Amino acid sequence: VLIADVGPVGPDYLPGHAHADTLSFEFSLNGQRIIVNSGTSQYGSGAERLRQRGTAAHSTLVLDGCDSSQVWSGFRVGRRARPFDVEVTETARALLLQAAHDGYTRLHGRPIHHREWQLAKGELKVRDTVSGAGGHRAEILFHLAPGLVPMQTDERTWQICSKATRGIHATVEFDAADVKKIQSSWHPQFGLTLPSWALSASLSGPCPLEHQTVFRWGDL
């Protein structure tokens, strides 16, 4: 099951509960959550509330350390990312979803984030492209559900394993990027914070920046 956020921040007249999560996604295999977004455990105007609303707490791309939509205070949103070129294509072998957003055009070079998901039997490809001008730094984040541990097998490949059984749910292969695991947290309901891990792939240079991440499962 793949759930992707390709819609606008909303409702447009009252965006206070919105997160800066455009082009993020969640993914499950056989009833097991694999990729998640932050969720919400608290309101108010503190640092943790702001972190949970920020782009880096979601499974999407952060550009130059900025949020895709400008979230601030407890229930405020400034400039908003607006999705466009949303298209779904289904073939006999795969389901393809692609979209872009303009949330980073306030940065120099007016960069655009494009994302494409290609879901096929035993495989999910996530392609990210940053177009525009100038040099930028992109961080692509994949937050794992609690109870899952990323284990590196070589320079480009990781395994997503069960912490309890050490069984392998999926493998993840990254393009040439600096990949590391970082501590994260998941908040499935108000007042609840669960520790978790995330995989972070970083790349920098002049536009276009391009990266592909491939998840595989099945006979592992």
Side-chain angles (χ1 to χ4, degrees):
V1 177
L2 171 67
I3 303 172
D5 185 349
V6 296
V9 169
D12 192 58
Y13 57 86
L14 188 65
H17 289 274
H19 289 200
D21 56 358
T22 307
L23 303 194
S24 67
F25 75 106
E26 298 203 358
F27 182 61
S28 299
L29 283 171
N30 302 315
Q32 166 67 53
R33 292 178 187 266
I34 303 295
I35 304 298
V36 296
N37 286 315
S38 69
T40 299
S41 69
Q42 61 179 258
Y43 289 157
S45 56
E48 178 60 14
R49 165 69 172 162
L50 190 62
R51 187 195 69 81
Q52 290 178 18
R53 296 181 73 202
T55 303
H58 300 82
S59 295
T60 187
L61 181 145
V62 178
L63 195 63
D64 296 340
C66 297
D67 290 328
S68 55
S69 291
Q70 293 177 310
V71 293
W72 57 283
S73 188
F75 296 90
R76 296 290 184 266
V77 181
R79 295 181 181 177
R80 309 173 193 181
R82 300 187 185 278
F84 62 95
D85 288 348
V86 179
E87 184 177 346
V88 179
T89 305
E90 187 171 4
T91 69
R93 295 187 177 184
L95 182 67
L96 179 68
L97 170 61
Q98 52 191 357
H101 77 78
D102 65 358
Y104 294 126
T105 55
R106 66 183 185 274
L107 304 178
H108 72 91
R110 298 185 60 80
I112 296 286
H113 176 208
H114 309 256
R115 172 163 274 189
E116 177 182 294
W117 296 265
Q118 182 174 307
L119 180 61
K121 184 178 181 181
E123 182 179 83
L124 170 64
K125 294 180 179 178
V126 183
R127 298 188 182 96
D128 289 291
T129 303
V130 178
S131 63
H136 298 275
R137 180 182 184 276
E139 182 183 16
I140 307 168
L141 290 150
F142 300 96
H143 292 270
L144 304 182
L148 300 182
V149 180
M151 306 289 290
Q152 188 170 12
T153 58
D154 59 41
E155 184 178 359
R156 296 173 54 194
T157 307
W158 294 69
Q159 294 176 337
I160 299 177
C161 304
S162 166
K163 183 178 180 180
T165 67
R166 293 295 175 179
I168 303 171
H169 290 286
T171 62
V172 192
E173 184 176 317
F174 295 87
D175 277 353
D178 178 19
V179 182
K180 60 185 178 181
K181 71 175 183 179
I182 58 176
Q183 290 186 322
S184 184
S185 58
W186 186 53
H187 317 94
Q189 63 187 49
F190 205 72
L192 181 60
T193 294
L194 300 176
S196 61
W197 291 99
L199 287 169
S200 166
S202 298
L203 61 157
S204 59
C207 288
L209 295 175
E210 298 178 330
H211 186 271
Q212 177 173 270
T213 310
V214 182
F215 295 82
R216 294 188 175 94
W217 58 91
D219 297 329
L220 300 176

